[in-house]
């Protein structure tokens, strides 16, 4: 008994000590300093700047397509953090942060690319450059030029790397069946993630926009047409293309199209519906799309850069006048590298920019599960990406679903969703049943849209964390521990995610407020003197790290004392 008493007395002593220590100030850079958001990436010697694949091409081609990455980039995370300090809550604050990120990226690119563009224009007039264009989401320039020009670019001090304009071949899913038959029911995957239960509470994805980078979308499909943000209800034949559709492929289509069907299937699973035919998880949401993959499922690094930049700040039909305030809340990416486990970070700055701008990047984990552990590839394996594994109707991991770990620390994939036998919209107005992690990712995008319709004030980190925290844990003989590198934290559960928002962090006794009784309950749990129910444990996790311990008790007490502004508190 004395042991327990002394343990509690020691814990209370620590609590009092922490209460007396003032909170640490937020660190930052010197206000107003020139280039405060600039990151200079050291360039290697000229001979090492040229990627080996580019070097091989230089020996046998008259003109080579390359991506020239400059040394001066932007710390978009720092831009976002500074902007957030002065931004209002909700959508207004999100738009303000996006604008700050885009403004800084554009200013950096404009300043850095001037002299390079002047040189390229001179070489174009001489016939040595066929094409060039700059990007700002990454400070990079696409160039199609003669080998001599590429070699000269490597000698420039402002050039860090010269990369190939690589081909990315989408691994097209297996189409089990296709046709015109309409099922008057909710698709099994949509039901399995508890989307209909969220609808019954009034959360349909309303007010949320999901961007889709894929093979395009059949905009006239009955399950998708009215959900396109560009739809003109009064005159459906004359939609508003500006800021709602972008085609990075050649030849370009003035209106959304999809001769492949992959993008149409994906978009349908996110939000499609036609009467009682419910194929999508968030039928109240809207979509916009960027076509980066051609009819053959092939994209290039440059088309994905263009599509990703459009999602950060959509443009008009001429590719001008970017509007970050019209960016989507979520971007679905049902594509990835063909090389299992590849750790290439070529796309990571774009994913980081999305995330800094408050956009949730959802990626399919890939279909290389046959290669075993570590088969998840980029961009799904980036820390900033929310990677999605595929499960079947029995909640078992699909054999094709790529496995973790990723190339960096942490659980990959993070979450699972239905990806086997998924029926959705298809090209030419039809429907098809397909399987692949491409089919799993849109279930998570849809669930995220439902969650945002329940609470539009969630930032991108909170949005992802709630989805992960409320996922249904999944294990099997190959992955007996949880979380794991097969299912991640488990099956996405839209209803549980929404219901978790009603949790009053710190309120364990159900009084509707946070008081000393709650703090004592957390202390007793930390001292192994009290077992909490799952609901109480969720409320007790005051710092949102997934555990309940003395740190949570301290945060609750500081909250009661007015030293912490809100819960959960994430320092």
């Amino acid at each position: 008994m004395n042991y327990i008493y002394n343990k509690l007395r020691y814990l209370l002593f620590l609590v009092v000590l922490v209460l007396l220590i003032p909170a640490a100030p937020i660190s930052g850079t010197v206000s107003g300093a020139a280039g405060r958001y600039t990151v200079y990436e050291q360039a290697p010697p000229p001979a090492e700047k040229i990627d080996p694949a580019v070097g091989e091409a230089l020996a046998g081609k008259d003109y080579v397509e390359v991506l020239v990455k400059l040394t001066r980039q932007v710390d978009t995370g720092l831009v976002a953090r500074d902007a957030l300090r002065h931004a209002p809550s909700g959508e207004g604050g999100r738009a303000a942060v996006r604008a700050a990120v885009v403004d800084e990226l554009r200013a950096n690119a404009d300043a850095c690319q001037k002299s390079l563009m002047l040189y390229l224009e001179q070489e174009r007039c001489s016939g040595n450059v066929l094409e060039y264009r700059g990007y700002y989401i990454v400070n990079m320039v696409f160039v199609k030029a003669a080998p001599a020009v590429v070699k000269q670019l490597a000698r420039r001090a402002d050039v860090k790397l010269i990369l190939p304009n690589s081909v990315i071949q989408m691994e097209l899913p297996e189409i089990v069946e296709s046709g015109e038959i309409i099922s008057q029911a909710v698709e099994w995957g949509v039901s399995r993630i508890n989307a209909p239960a969220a609808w019954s509470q009034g959360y349909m994805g309303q007010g949320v926009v999901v961007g889709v980078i894929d093979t395009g979308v059949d905009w006239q499909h009955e399950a998708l047409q009215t959900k396109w943000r560009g739809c003109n209800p009064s005159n459906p034949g004359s939609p508003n293309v500006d800021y709602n559709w972008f085609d990075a492929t050649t030849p370009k289509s003035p209106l959304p199209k999809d001769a492949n069907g992959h993008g149409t299937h994906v978009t349908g699973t996110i939000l499609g519906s036609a009467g009682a035919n419910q194929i999508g998880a968030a039928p109240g949401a809207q979509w916009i799309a960027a076509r980066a993959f051609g009819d053959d499922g092939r994209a290039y690094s440059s088309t994905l850069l263009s599509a990703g930049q459009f999602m950060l700040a959509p443009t008009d039909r001429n590719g001008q006048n970017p509007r970050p305030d019209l960016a989507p809340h979520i971007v679905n990416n049902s594509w990835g590298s063909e090389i299992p486990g590849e750790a290439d970070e070529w796309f990571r700055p774009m994913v980081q920019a999305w995330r800094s701008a408050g956009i949730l990047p959802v990626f399919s984990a890939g279909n290389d599960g046959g290669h075993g552990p570590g088969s998840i590839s980029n961009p799904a394996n980036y820390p900033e990406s929310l990677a999605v594994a595929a499960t079947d109707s029995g909640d078992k991991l699909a054999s094709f679903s790529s496995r973790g770990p990723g190339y960096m620390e942490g659980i990959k994939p993070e979450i699972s969703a239905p990806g086997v036998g998924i029926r959705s919209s298809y090209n030419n107005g039809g429907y098809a049943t397909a399987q692949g992690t491409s089919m799993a990712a849109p279930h998570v995008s849809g669930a995220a849209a439902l969650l945002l319709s329940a609470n539009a004030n969630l930032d991108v980190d909170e949005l992802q964390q709630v989805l992960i925290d409320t996922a249904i844990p999944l294990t099997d003989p190959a992955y007996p521990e949880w979380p794991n590198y097969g299912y991640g934290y488990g099956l996405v559960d839209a209803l549980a995610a929404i219901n978790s928002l009603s949790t009053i962090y710190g309120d364990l006794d159900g009084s509707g407020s946070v008081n000393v009784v709650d703090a004592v309950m957390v202390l007793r749990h930390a001292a192994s003197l009290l077992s909490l129910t799952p609901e109480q444990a969720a409320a007790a996790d005051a710092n949102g790290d997934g555990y309940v311990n003395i740190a949570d008790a301290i945060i609750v007490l500081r909250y009661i004392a007015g030293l912490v502004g809100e819960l959960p508190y994430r320092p």
Side-chain angles (χ1 to χ4, degrees), residues 73 76 105 135-139 305 308-309 312 349-351 353-354:
Q73 301 294 327
T76 56
L105 286 168
Y135 299 94
Y136 63 81
I137 191 166
V138 183
N139 193 9
L305 279 168
Q309 185 166 286
L312 182 65
M350 292 192 59
V351 178
W354 286 344

Side-chain angles (χ1 to χ4, degrees), residues 181-230:
I181 300 174
I182 299 177
S183 170
Q184 299 296 320
V186 177
E187 292 303 319
W188 81 263
V190 174
S191 294
R192 187 66 191 90
I193 67 168
N194 276 328
W199 306 341
S200 68
Q201 294 188 17
Y203 305 119
M204 307 283 288
Q206 61 271 27
V208 180
V209 178
V210 181
V212 179
I213 295 179
D214 215 288
T215 59
V217 180
D218 178 0
W219 75 278
Q220 292 180 305
H221 196 289
E222 63 174 2
L224 302 176
Q225 183 173 8
T226 60
K227 302 173 191 304
W228 180 31
R229 192 172 66 180

Side-chain angles (χ1 to χ4, degrees), residues 114-125:
K114 283 182 180 179
S115 64
L116 177 58
M117 294 297 195
L118 179 61
Y119 166 70
L120 292 173
E121 180 59 24
Q122 291 171 344
E123 292 298 326
R124 189 190 68 80
C125 293

Side-chain angles (χ1 to χ4, degrees), residues 212 214-219 221 224 257-270 279 424-430:
V212 179
D214 215 288
T215 59
V217 180
D218 178 0
W219 75 278
H221 196 289
L224 302 176
K257 63 164 288 188
D258 181 17
N260 181 288
H262 186 275
T264 299
H265 196 283
V266 163
T267 307
T269 301
I270 297 170
I279 57 174
S424 186
S425 45
Y426 204 55
N427 56 351
N428 300 318

